[in-house]
């Protein structure tokens, strides 16, 4: 019902996503987590790794996880994030 009344194809132009265990993210179209990439110069970074737990379609991390400028990693919890970051760093030499 929220999407029908306030979604991207209405005058309000809002996006909704699962924002965690009990939350819903609501923001104007274009103001999802990819908004941060506007402030990161593409020529300054060869690769941007993004770690998120709600990376499925409809999840709050989905847009940044699947963005062409990022390498997305799905994590389960803080410990899994640490494990994946350490593995990534160790694989770099």
């Amino acid at each position: 019902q929220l999407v029908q009344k306030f979604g991207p194809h209405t005058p309000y132009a809002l996006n909704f996503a699962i924002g965690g265990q009990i939350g819903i993210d609501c923001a104007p179209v274009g103001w999802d987590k990819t908004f941060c990439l506007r402030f990161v110069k593409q020529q300054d970074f060869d690769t941007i790794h993004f770690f998120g737990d709600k990376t499925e379609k409809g999840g709050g991390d989905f847009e940044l996880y699947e963005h062409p400028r990022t390498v997305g990693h799905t994590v389960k919890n803080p410990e899994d994030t640490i494990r994946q970051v350490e593995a990534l760093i160790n694989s770099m030499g």
Side-chain angles (χ1 to χ4, degrees):
Q1 291 177 341
L2 285 174
V3 174
Q4 289 175 345
K5 289 185 179 184
F6 304 105
H9 304 294
T10 70
Y12 300 100
L14 297 175
N15 276 330
F16 296 90
I18 298 168
Q21 296 299 318
I22 60 171
I24 298 173
D25 289 346
C26 174
V29 171
W31 281 53
D32 54 39
K33 290 185 179 178
T34 61
F35 185 78
C36 68
L37 295 176
R38 297 178 188 187
F39 306 99
V40 179
K41 295 178 183 173
Q42 196 162 2
Q43 65 269 20
D44 289 348
F45 296 92
D46 294 331
T47 308
I48 299 171
H49 290 269
F50 173 74
F51 297 81
D53 63 337
K54 299 295 181 192
T55 57
E56 69 283 349
K57 188 171 177 93
D61 297 327
F62 178 73
E63 287 81 6
L64 193 53
Y65 172 83
E66 66 138 18
H67 196 278
R69 287 184 58 197
T70 67
V71 176
H73 304 267
T74 301
V75 296
K76 298 174 187 163
N77 52 47
E79 295 79 17
D80 187 38
T81 306
I82 291 168
R83 183 188 61 74
Q84 288 194 42
V85 169
E86 286 177 344
L88 178 64
I89 291 170
N90 290 336
S91 74
M92 293 179 176

